[in-house]
Amino acid sequence: QHGGTFLDCTFGGGGYSNVILSYPNTKVIAIDRDKNISLLAEKVKKKFPKRFKFINDKFSNLDKIKDLKIKPKGIIFDLGFSTNQIKDYKRGFSFNSSGPLDMRMGKNETSAFDVVNNFTEESLALIFKKLGEEKDSKKIAKAIVFKRKSNQIIYTNDLVNIISRVKKNYLYSKTNPATKVFQALRMFVNKEVTELIAGLISATKLVDKNGKIIVVSFHSIEDRTTKRFIQGRDTAGIKFNFKLVGGKPIKADPTEI
């Protein structure tokens, strides 16, 4: 509301950027690793030609981007995948549609197909447990390795079927049985935890002295990683001069959903 430059580290569909730019005297530099959203960024650029700039890169590279010689008033991280990514079945993010096992957000080579078809049973189980908090991680990993002996696991629905057979007691649950495994694969493929930590470290170097770093998380791993960072537990013991705004999670009200 009072103007200034803001850094939108996860442009996605442009929601944050558009709202910030709706206020006069504001500027936004938006970053996203997904080259497929460039067309959306171009629309915002046409609307706000002098106040908006888009950079196709990972937010872990914030301190390497030469254009960022600024002191933003706010730096925003809205974690996870975007609506556009999950709606595109060819990207392989969704367990509700059949598409190739991919899950790459951009600027990376390893896909979910590579992981599922080449990693050892032990490695798969560890990924599912640590990044998905999947309690049946070992059973699912074993079922995947057994299946791929006869056929490669190519499509998302192939993986969903394997998981569903292992977790048949959860078929009538409100939550899809494949949710945690898909989350774990996506996070591993895109190195989301290390990306987040690197992005936060860079953000502390860039943000204005009285500025804010805002992190929107959607599950306990992202939330825990951010809190540990603030406490200096994942930064080699280095503590930053943060002032935590609010001690409890901030939930969306009905009008925001």
Side-chain angles (χ1 to χ4, degrees):
Q1 294 179 356
H2 302 290
T5 300
F6 295 83
L7 196 54
D8 181 357
C9 294
T10 46
F11 178 76
Y16 288 93
S17 291
N18 275 297
V19 171
I20 293 169
L21 290 166
S22 68
Y23 293 96
N25 303 317
T26 56
K27 292 182 179 180
V28 171
I29 297 176
I31 298 169
D32 203 296
R33 64 192 294 179
D34 190 348
K35 64 180 182 180
N36 292 343
I37 56 92
S38 295
L39 288 175
L40 290 172
E42 286 177 13
K43 290 181 180 179
V44 180
K45 181 68 175 176
K46 287 180 180 179
K47 192 176 179 181
F48 305 99
K50 295 182 179 180
R51 297 198 285 133
F52 176 78
K53 182 168 188 174
F54 175 73
I55 299 170
N56 179 216
D57 207 337
K58 297 186 286 187
F59 57 64
S60 60
N61 292 330
L62 282 181
D63 57 351
K64 298 176 185 177
I65 299 173
K66 295 179 180 179
D67 295 339
L68 295 184
K69 293 180 180 179
I70 55 170
K71 284 292 180 183
K73 289 181 67 175
I75 301 179
I76 304 164
F77 298 88
D78 188 354
L79 307 177
F81 49 73
S82 69
T83 302
N84 295 318
Q85 288 171 333
I86 199 168
K87 282 184 176 180
D88 185 354
Y89 74 92
K90 294 179 182 177
R91 305 293 295 275
F93 286 103
S94 176
F95 42 70
N96 289 321
S97 57
S98 180
L101 266 177
D102 194 324
M103 300 192 191
R104 288 174 291 186
M105 290 181 175
K107 300 285 183 181
N108 52 335
E109 295 180 0
T110 302
S111 68
F113 171 87
D114 300 324
V115 177
V116 169
N117 286 282
N118 296 302
F119 278 41
T120 64
E121 182 178 326
E122 293 76 15
S123 296
L124 289 173
L126 188 62
I127 290 169
F128 301 155
K129 182 179 180 181
K130 294 295 183 181
L131 296 179
E133 299 178 322
E134 172 56 69
K135 67 177 184 178
D136 292 317
S137 58
K138 290 184 178 179
K139 292 180 181 178
I140 294 170
K142 185 175 182 179
I144 287 171
V145 172
F146 178 79
K147 177 64 177 178
R148 75 188 190 192
K149 286 179 181 178
S150 54
N151 295 104
Q152 285 187 320
I153 301 166
I154 300 173
Y155 298 103
T156 51
N157 61 319
D158 295 333
L159 182 57
V160 169
N161 289 336
I162 294 170
I163 298 167
S164 296
R165 283 194 288 270
V166 173
K167 297 179 72 69
K168 53 189 176 183
N169 293 332
Y170 295 85
L171 293 179
Y172 300 102
S173 171
K174 291 182 180 179
T175 304
N176 191 297
T179 299
K180 293 182 177 181
V181 170
F182 270 64
Q183 172 187 301
L185 283 171
R186 190 201 78 230
M187 292 185 70
F188 181 82
V189 165
N190 296 290
K191 300 181 180 179
E192 292 182 36
V193 174
T194 52
E195 280 287 310
L196 174 57
I197 294 171
L200 288 171
I201 291 173
S202 296
T204 61
K205 299 175 184 176
L206 288 169
V207 72
D208 185 73
K209 182 180 179 181
N210 297 312
K212 294 180 180 179
I213 297 174
I214 301 165
V215 181
V216 181
S217 61
F218 291 90
H219 55 72
S220 60
I221 297 172
E222 294 171 340
D223 187 58
R224 191 160 55 242
T225 299
T226 304
K227 287 178 179 176
R228 287 175 65 89
F229 176 84
I230 292 171
Q231 296 164 357
R233 294 166 65 185
D234 282 331
T235 55
I238 301 171
K239 288 213 172 188
F240 300 96
N241 190 26
F242 289 128
K243 180 182 178 182
L244 191 62
V245 181
K248 297 180 179 180
I250 301 171
K251 297 182 179 179
D253 63 43
T255 60
E256 295 178 285
I257 299 174

